[in-house]
Amino acid sequence: MLSILPFQTFAQAATSSGTRLVQGTPVVVKTSGVVTSNSVGDIQAIVDQDVVSGGTVVLKSGTPVVVKATFEKNGATGKPGKIILSGATTTAVDGKTIVLNCGMEEKGKGKGGLAWGLGIGTGCVTLVGLLFLLIKGNSAELPAGTLIPNTSVASNYEIDIMQ
């Protein structure tokens, strides 16, 4: 029994090989659903194209990606909504969690000039005009399938490829 153990160790070492996923490797990521500035929590996305390193696929197309996001809702006096994407994580073919860098900011259309102009302009004549200051800006929106630009691997990883 003891004489078989070393051979088993060599057999396992021969069936798996590794490749390196280097920092800065670009990753194409797209959103899975519609995201608005009224959303809460993380954004769901997917890897859009296979990521290849050393001739081997290390991140498969269709792999889920969790994108960290902060949201600012639209508000009174024409303030627009805002979506800020600041980082993401996904899973490699060997099950390791891969941290991704990404940065994106999407703003809705502001209506500040309209709200202030109508509010002050008509508010001087009638007090009802001050209600125009309650006009809200538009929400920010990312449609389904939006590509998240400048997404790349955050650090170096050693990926085990089973053969």
Side-chain angles (χ1 to χ4, degrees), residues 57-130:
V57 175
V58 292
L59 295 175
K60 286 190 177 191
S61 175
T63 304
V65 178
V66 178
V67 182
K68 305 292 180 204
T70 54
F71 304 97
E72 292 180 16
K73 292 184 179 183
N74 55 337
T77 64
K79 180 183 166 209
K82 191 186 299 186
I83 302 170
I84 303 168
L85 308 181
S86 58
T89 58
T90 190
T91 307
V93 293
D94 67 349
K96 288 183 183 165
T97 300
I98 306 297
V99 178
L100 304 174
N101 289 328
C102 68
M104 180 178 179
E105 182 176 314
E106 185 71 25
K107 273 186 164 180
K109 182 179 177 189
K111 296 182 181 176
L114 176 68
W116 284 106
L118 288 174
I120 301 301
T122 59
C124 291
V125 177
T126 171
L127 292 177
V128 177
L130 293 176

Side-chain angles (χ1 to χ4, degrees), residues 2-161:
L2 292 174
S3 62
I4 296 174
L5 186 61
F7 293 113
Q8 183 180 9
T9 305
F10 289 123
Q12 288 176 351
T15 60
S16 68
S17 64
T19 187
R20 191 166 176 87
L21 181 58
V22 296
Q23 179 180 2
T25 302
V27 180
V28 180
V29 176
K30 69 177 180 179
T31 59
S32 299
V34 177
V35 180
T36 66
S37 57
N38 297 328
S39 301
V40 177
D42 296 331
I43 296 174
Q44 299 301 314
I46 59 170
V47 175
D48 192 42
Q49 297 175 0
D50 288 342
V51 176
V52 179
S53 178
T56 315
V57 175
V58 292
L59 295 175
K60 286 190 177 191
S61 175
T63 304
V65 178
V66 178
V67 182
K68 305 292 180 204
T70 54
F71 304 97
E72 292 180 16
K73 292 184 179 183
N74 55 337
T77 64
K79 180 183 166 209
K82 191 186 299 186
I83 302 170
I84 303 168
L85 308 181
S86 58
T89 58
T90 190
T91 307
V93 293
D94 67 349
K96 288 183 183 165
T97 300
I98 306 297
V99 178
L100 304 174
N101 289 328
C102 68
M104 180 178 179
E105 182 176 314
E106 185 71 25
K107 273 186 164 180
K109 182 179 177 189
K111 296 182 181 176
L114 176 68
W116 284 106
L118 288 174
I120 301 301
T122 59
C124 291
V125 177
T126 171
L127 292 177
V128 177
L130 293 176
L131 292 175
F132 284 113
L133 293 175
L134 299 177
I135 293 175
K136 290 186 172 187
N138 291 345
S139 295
E141 183 176 308
L142 294 175
T146 300
L147 293 176
I148 300 173
N150 304 324
T151 305
S152 62
V153 177
S155 61
N156 295 325
Y157 294 94
E158 215 35 66
I159 308 297
D160 296 323
I161 307 298

